[in-house]
Amino acid sequence: MKGTKGRRRFLDYPRQGREGPRRWLPSWRQWLGVLSLCVLGLAGLFAVVYAKIDVPDENELARKQATVYHWSDGSEMVSVGAVNRQNVTLDKVPDSVENAVIAAENATFYSDSGVSFKGIGRALVSVVSGGETQGGSTITQQYVKNTYLSQDQTVTRKVREFIIALKVSNQQSKHDILRGYLNTSWFGRDSYGIEAAAHAYYGIDAEELNPSQGALLAAVLKGSEQYDPGLGKANHARAEARWKWILDRQVATGKMSRTERAKYRTFPEPRKITKPTSQAGQTGYLIDVANKFIKARTGLTDKDLARGGYHIHTTFDKKRTQRLEKAVNEVRRKDIDPKHREVDRFVEFGAASVSPKDGAIVALYGGADATKHFSNNADTSAVPAGSAFKPFVLAAALQQEVDGTGETDELDDTDESDDTDDSSDSKAELEKGKRTVAEDLGKALMLGQNPPFVQAGKEVGLEQIRALAVDAGLRKESMAQLEQTFPLGTSAPSAIRMASAYTTFANDGLHHEPYAVSGMTYDGKKVPGLDRPAAEQVLDAGVAQQVSDALRVVGWRSLSAGGGPSAQTPIAAGRTEPGDRMKSAWFIGSPGDDLDFGTGAESGDGVRPGRAPGAGDGNEPTTAVTMFRNKAGTPALLPMQGVGGAKSKLGTTLPPKVWQAYQQGA
C-alpha cells in the first residue's frame, strides 16, 4: 500500500513475513505482553475489590437471634439460643490447648500471611464445579468466616473471606486472631468457643483443660457431627484416631516432648451429651427429628442451626404429642414395676404418629425425658420388628398375583393321608383345601403363624419383599440380611418409619414420605429445599385393602388381649407375637369407628371384616408403638420374658394398651 511500505505496525498480527498457520501464532513477546496485561488487570481489579470490602463488626455473632421452633398450629414450641458463647482471654486458655488447635488446624499460623492460596484455589474450583466443600483454610480465614461472614459456600463469599483475612492479618496481631478464633469456633453440643466447649464436654472451665482433653476438643473442630465421640461408635473411632494424631503432631512440630506425649495413652472420654432444660420431656426429641429432616433436605448443619435466626414450623401437634406421652406414662405406671420385678428394669417405649393424608409426623414419644435419656426411641433403628413386618410379606405376595409375576403355586392344606374318591363332591372339598400363597399368608397373619412366611420368602423372593417394604416407606439401611428368617421381621426400622409404611395400607397403596418440617425462614426469607416429593402409588389399591382387612382382625385380637376392643379398634394394625422370641414388642394401628367384625373374629379364624359405613375418614394418623429393654453400655437388647408380669405375654400386650390409651385420650 502506498506510503506504508517498510513501516512497522504497532501490532504485528497476523505476523508479516510468515506463511500459512505460522502467521497466526503469536510471538513470545506478544504472549508476554498479553500475560502482563492480564496480571495488571487482575491486580487493578484486586485493588478495587480490596478497597471496597471493609472488615465488618466483630460482635455480629454475639447478637445473633435465637432459633424458634413452632408447633403445627403456629404457636411457639421452644426458643433455642441465642448463641451459647462465653468469650475468654488467651491467658485463660492453656498453652497446650492452643498448641493442639494450631497443630491440628494450621501449623504455620505464626508465620503465614493469614491466607492459603492453595486452599482458596481448591475451594473456588470446588464451588464453581459444584463439588463438595474443600478445607485447607488458615486459622485466620476460619476466624473471618466464623465472625464476619455467612456459612454460604459461594464464590462471592470465598472472595470476601480471602480479602478480609488479608486485612485482618495486617490489622490484628496473631494473639488477637487466635483469641477470636478460639472464642467463635463451633465445637458441637450447642457450644461456640473454647469456654462453652470445655463445659459441654468436661464440665470445667477452659483454663482447667489438660493437654489430652485439649487435643480431643481440637479434634472436634474438624466437625462435631463426625468427631464428637458421644454420637456413636463410628464417631468415637474417628475421634480417638484424630486425638492420637494431634498429640503426635505436636511432637512432630516441637510443641510437645515425647516424654510428655507418653503420659496421654488413655482416651479422655467426655461427659455424656446433655440437653438444656428448655428441651426437657419430649421437646428435645421433637427438635432432634426436625433438625435431621432439615439437614437431610437443605444441607444445613448443626453449626448453622446453632447460629440462630431461624423460624422452624414443624408438623408436630401439641395436643397429640401430650396425649401420646400421657398414654405411655399411664401404661408404665400400671404395668411396669421395676421395684418389685427385676425384669421390668431398663424398659423403654418409643412411638410415632404419621398422617396418611400427606406423611406429616404429627406426634412422637422418644423416651422419658430428652435431658436424661438422649437416644430418641421414636427414631432408633435397633429394635427388630418381628411379626409387625409380616404385612409387607403378605402385600408382596398379593401384589405378585395382581401383577401376574412370580410363582403363584397353590398350597394344599388337605391331609394327604386321607383317602378321597373321584366324586364331584369330593373334588369340590379338595378345591376348598387349596389356597394361593397370599391367601395362606392372610390366614397365617391372623393366627400368628411363622412357617408360611418362611415359605413365602422362597416363593415370593426375599429381594421382592425387601423392595416392597422400602417402597412402602422403610429405610433400606434398616433392612436385615436376606436370610431365611428375613420375612419374620429381623429388620429394625424406626417407629417413625413403621408408622409411615403402614399408612400405605390405610391409604389405598399411596405412600407419602414422612416429613417433620412444613416450612422454615431465616431473617424473614424462605429457606429452600423443603418442598415435599409427590406421593407414589406403591401398592395396588385392592392389595392395600386386603392387607388392611387382615390387619383389622390382628388389631382386634391384640386389643382384646390387652383389655378389650373399643370404638377405636384399628382399621389396620400389626403386632409382634409372643412366639417371635424377639427382644421387642410392637403395635401399629390406624383408628376407625363403628367397625363390624362379624362372627368368629375373636378366635382369629380368617374372617376379613369390611369397614362399616361411616368408619374412619382415612385422615386419622397411623401410630406405631414399640417397647424393648436396653441397658446403657450393653450392645444387645435385653430379653423380654416376664416384662409386665406373667399375663403380658413377653410384653406384647403392652404396646396395644399404649395405642388404645392414646386413642381414648382424644
Side-chain angles (χ1 to χ4, degrees), residues 383-495:
V383 184
S387 290
F389 184 80
K390 291 177 181 177
F392 302 108
V393 184
L394 171 59
L398 289 168
Q399 191 65 49
Q400 271 198 358
E401 291 185 359
V402 170
D403 296 340
T405 60
E407 296 292 335
T408 57
D409 294 342
E410 294 181 331
L411 301 179
D412 193 345
D413 277 0
T414 59
D415 188 344
E416 294 181 359
S417 64
D418 290 344
D419 292 329
T420 59
D421 57 31
D422 291 333
S423 68
S424 58
D425 290 341
S426 296
K427 289 181 179 179
E429 290 297 322
L430 181 61
E431 289 302 317
K432 288 182 181 180
K434 290 186 176 181
R435 301 189 307 277
T436 64
V437 173
E439 289 173 329
D440 191 68
L441 291 178
K443 183 175 182 179
L445 180 66
M446 297 181 212
L447 297 177
Q449 298 171 335
N450 283 337
F453 287 90
V454 175
Q455 180 63 25
K458 301 175 183 177
E459 297 284 344
V460 178
L462 300 179
E463 293 85 358
Q464 286 74 14
I465 294 170
R466 179 179 63 185
L468 184 139
V470 171
D471 288 343
L474 303 187
R475 292 191 182 280
K476 189 172 183 179
E477 54 265 31
S478 71
M479 295 290 98
Q481 293 184 347
L482 297 182
E483 300 173 336
Q484 181 176 332
T485 55
F486 178 78
L488 302 182
T490 52
S491 298
S494 69

Side-chain angles (χ1 to χ4, degrees), residues 32-48:
L32 182 61
V34 171
L35 180 61
S36 299
L37 286 174
C38 289
V39 171
L40 288 173
L42 289 174
L45 178 62
F46 179 82
V48 171

